Amino acid sequence: MKQRTIANSVEIVGIGLHKGVPVKMKLEPLDSNMGIVFYREDEGVTIPLKIENVVDTKMATVIGKDGVVISTIEHLLSAVYAYGIDNLRVVIDNDEVPVLDGSSSGYCMLIEEAGIKELAASKKAIKIKKNVEVTTEDGKRVALKPSNHIIYDFSIDFDHPVIGQQEFRFDYSIEEYKENISRARTFGFLHEVQYLRSQGLAQGGSLENAIVLDQSKVLNPEGLRYNDEFVRHKILDAIGDMALLGYTLVGEYDAHAGSHYLNHLLTKKVYENEENYEILDLEIANEEAQVFEMAYSKVQA
């Protein structure tokens, strides 16, 4: 199996979630072994997608270098990772990736518009060999476990009548991602939105790009896309955050009440011990390569 990039450059203009200003973003192909690279063209700074370049995880996953940052990268990365893109340059003229409709479905369409191109070099994957877990005193947990498949299992428990307890198990393929994960939108509570705006944040947030809830109901007039849209969006975010591993994942991600912060700690912890993982060459590792071939098979390159 070979590495992937996009076949053609594509461009989009959207609103940043926090500043609320227009952002122009262009996706460009890269050659083998170049990885995912962000470029702030207004600052002239290149920021490779690496764990050590993560500078903030409070409200979103933020990468930075030399004092220049790019925020809210997780929705774009979720789609890029789901489509098996190994090499890509993201050119952006502001400090936020466009939020679009609060999901990653727009980025799926953008990748399909660009097309997928196979490259000469063999594709690499990271296979989890031992359980790696990060927990908190209040019961939050994120973990990566050995598996010959690619699975995301997430549960949440909110004291809210619309959300409550939800769990979703996602067995990866591109088609399943498009159908069951990519359309799930980010969500927030009205009192939180009001507070964030008082702090100069969430200026671009609206019912057009997020699910907003008051104390008892969803305020969006169209309602939910899935009854369990909230936990599905948590999986969407987790897939984007696992892109920081630098390789496509073979293993099971399992979480309860996970967050960008805990996901960041998890990716760091994986690399603390070489016994936790193995880097596979998918030209040689036939069993794992078959998993990806099946997952990719229904989407034309």
Side-chain angles (χ1 to χ4, degrees), residues 2-16:
K2 303 295 186 181
Q3 291 182 28
R4 291 178 149 205
T5 187
I6 55 174
N8 302 286
S9 296
V10 283
E11 191 172 298
I12 195 169
V13 176
I15 297 295

Side-chain angles (χ1 to χ4, degrees), residues 123-127 247-248 250 278-282 292:
K123 188 178 182 73
K124 303 293 197 299
I126 181 168
K127 184 171 184 178
Y247 302 93
T248 303
V250 179
E278 176 185 4
I279 304 301
L280 302 176
D281 183 325
L282 294 181
F292 289 104

Side-chain angles (χ1 to χ4, degrees), residues 32-43:
S32 300
N33 302 315
M34 299 292 287
I36 309 297
V37 177
F38 287 79
Y39 178 66
R40 277 282 301 272
E41 62 178 351
D42 57 321
E43 297 282 355

Side-chain angles (χ1 to χ4, degrees), residues 14 17-18 39 41 46 78 87 105 110 121-122 136-137 142 163 188 201 211 214 229 252 271 283 288:
L17 177 63
H18 287 302
Y39 178 66
E41 62 178 351
T46 295
S78 185
N87 307 283
S105 61
L110 199 64
S122 59
T136 66
E137 292 182 357
V142 294
I163 306 178
L201 300 172
I211 304 167
D214 64 12
E229 187 167 355
E252 179 173 351
Y271 285 119
E283 292 282 277
E288 290 83 1

Side-chain angles (χ1 to χ4, degrees), residues 74 198 220 222 225 301:
E74 59 271 10
S198 75
N220 304 63
E222 75 280 10
R225 294 175 177 175

Side-chain angles (χ1 to χ4, degrees), residues 61-72:
T61 297
V62 184
I63 56 173
K65 185 181 177 183
D66 301 330
V68 176
V69 302
I70 299 177
S71 177
T72 325

Side-chain angles (χ1 to χ4, degrees), residues 199-229:
Q199 301 298 304
L201 300 172
Q203 301 299 312
S206 73
L207 297 178
E208 300 297 318
N209 55 38
I211 304 167
V212 181
L213 305 101
D214 64 12
Q215 292 182 341
S216 62
K217 63 184 181 300
V218 171
L219 299 180
N220 304 63
E222 75 280 10
L224 298 175
R225 294 175 177 175
Y226 316 91
N227 289 336
D228 54 359
E229 187 167 355

Side-chain angles (χ1 to χ4, degrees), residues 17-301:
L17 177 63
H18 287 302
K19 284 192 173 179
V21 298
V23 181
K24 183 174 73 173
M25 189 181 76
K26 187 176 184 181
L27 305 183
E28 299 177 342
L30 280 183
D31 206 348
S32 300
N33 302 315
M34 299 292 287
I36 309 297
V37 177
F38 287 79
Y39 178 66
R40 277 282 301 272
E41 62 178 351
D42 57 321
E43 297 282 355
V45 174
T46 295
I47 310 174
L49 184 69
K50 294 183 177 180
I51 293 172
E52 57 265 33
N53 288 336
V54 174
V55 296
D56 192 9
T57 53
K58 293 186 191 73
M59 300 299 301
T61 297
V62 184
I63 56 173
K65 185 181 177 183
D66 301 330
V68 176
V69 302
I70 299 177
S71 177
T72 325
I73 61 175
E74 59 271 10
H75 298 174
L76 169 64
L77 288 178
S78 185
V80 168
Y81 202 56
Y83 276 74
I85 304 296
D86 305 285
N87 307 283
L88 184 71
R89 187 173 188 245
V90 182
V91 181
I92 193 166
D93 69 352
N94 212 308
D95 63 1
E96 284 186 277
V97 171
V99 68
L100 303 184
D101 71 345
S103 75
S104 66
S105 61
Y107 290 121
C108 293
M109 290 187 281
L110 199 64
I111 292 167
E112 292 190 3
E113 178 186 339
I116 296 171
K117 177 184 177 182
E118 287 197 342
L119 299 167
S122 59
K123 188 178 182 73
K124 303 293 197 299
I126 181 168
K127 184 171 184 178
I128 302 302
K129 303 292 285 185
K130 289 188 173 183
N131 285 6
V132 182
E133 186 173 87
V134 176
T135 60
T136 66
E137 292 182 357
D138 58 354
K140 297 176 181 177
R141 181 193 78 255
V142 294
L144 286 170
K145 303 175 180 180
S147 174
N148 287 331
H149 297 275
I150 308 155
I151 293 167
Y152 285 79
D153 197 337
F154 210 117
S155 63
I156 57 175
D157 188 357
F158 280 80
D159 184 18
H160 190 281
V162 177
I163 306 178
Q165 295 181 355
Q166 296 185 3
E167 182 173 359
F168 196 86
R169 184 176 175 87
F170 170 59
D171 194 344
Y172 166 73
S173 75
I174 295 178
E175 286 298 311
E176 286 295 314
Y177 178 85
K178 285 171 61 180
E179 181 68 25
N180 292 314
I181 302 298
S182 75
R183 296 177 61 247
R185 295 161 293 175
T186 192
F187 62 94
F189 300 94
L190 184 61
H191 67 277
E192 292 178 345
V193 174
Q194 292 167 338
Y195 170 75
L196 288 171
R197 286 185 171 169
S198 75
Q199 301 298 304
L201 300 172
Q203 301 299 312
S206 73
L207 297 178
E208 300 297 318
N209 55 38
I211 304 167
V212 181
L213 305 101
D214 64 12
Q215 292 182 341
S216 62
K217 63 184 181 300
V218 171
L219 299 180
N220 304 63
E222 75 280 10
L224 298 175
R225 294 175 177 175
Y226 316 91
N227 289 336
D228 54 359
E229 187 167 355
F230 307 97
V231 72
R232 294 185 194 219
H233 184 80
K234 288 290 190 179
I235 290 177
L236 186 158
D237 279 346
I239 292 169
D241 286 344
M242 290 305 104
L244 270 298
L245 289 168
Y247 302 93
T248 303
L249 173 69
V250 179
E252 179 173 351
Y253 171 94
D254 179 56
H256 175 70
S259 64
H260 296 303
Y261 173 64
L262 293 179
N263 287 338
H264 175 53
L265 295 182
L266 181 63
T267 56
K268 289 175 66 177
K269 192 168 183 178
V270 167
Y271 285 119
E272 286 176 1
N273 187 337
E274 292 184 358
E275 294 182 359
N276 291 335
Y277 65 93
E278 176 185 4
I279 304 301
L280 302 176
D281 183 325
L282 294 181
E283 292 282 277
I284 301 170
N286 292 326
E287 182 179 351
E288 290 83 1
Q290 288 175 4
V291 173
F292 289 104
E293 286 168 359
M294 291 179 61
Y296 294 168
S297 62
K298 292 185 180 180
V299 174
Q300 299 298 315

